[in-house]
Amino acid sequence: MTVEQLIKECGLKTVVLADGSREVTGAYIGDLLSWVMGRANQGDAWITIMSNVNIAAVAALADTACIILAEGVELENDVIEVALNKGINILASAEPAYEIAVKLSKVL
């Protein structure tokens, strides 16, 4: 499933769509950035409440397909600019991480 399809299937809001054709092959939930770097898989949709600029770097290092911000988290413009420059897809939802994961489990 592509990031664009995931947006439609799960009712996610687009924050940054750098590459909507990127394949989503799994999911990972985590907020400790060093933990995510070592455990998220290439192609995962990474669900988090973290919103600082370091999420773009971690997503790039882990090669995740997208970041999904849970619980209505919003980003500062500088984070959006960095994500665009690094080609990182960022989506958002008002729902808790668990609810987003349940939706993902039904469509992936």
Side-chain angles (χ1 to χ4, degrees), residues 7 9 20 35 37 41 47 49-50 53-54 56-57 60 62-63 67 69 75 79-80 82 95-96 104-108:
I7 293 166
E9 290 287 327
W35 199 265
M37 280 190 300
N41 294 312
I47 304 167
I49 58 167
M50 296 297 296
V53 71
N54 294 328
D63 198 20
I67 299 170
L69 303 172
L75 295 180
V79 181
I80 292 171
V82 171
E95 295 180 305
L104 292 179
S105 73
K106 293 177 182 176
V107 299
L108 292 178

Side-chain angles (χ1 to χ4, degrees), residues 1-17:
M1 166 172 289
T2 67
V3 171
E4 287 178 335
Q5 291 168 325
L6 187 71
I7 293 166
K8 291 176 188 170
E9 290 287 327
C10 295
L12 300 169
K13 176 185 167 193
T14 302
V15 179
V16 176
L17 191 60

Side-chain angles (χ1 to χ4, degrees), residues 82-95:
V82 171
L84 281 169
N85 290 334
K86 290 188 175 290
I88 305 298
N89 296 306
I90 302 181
L91 314 175
S93 174
E95 295 180 305

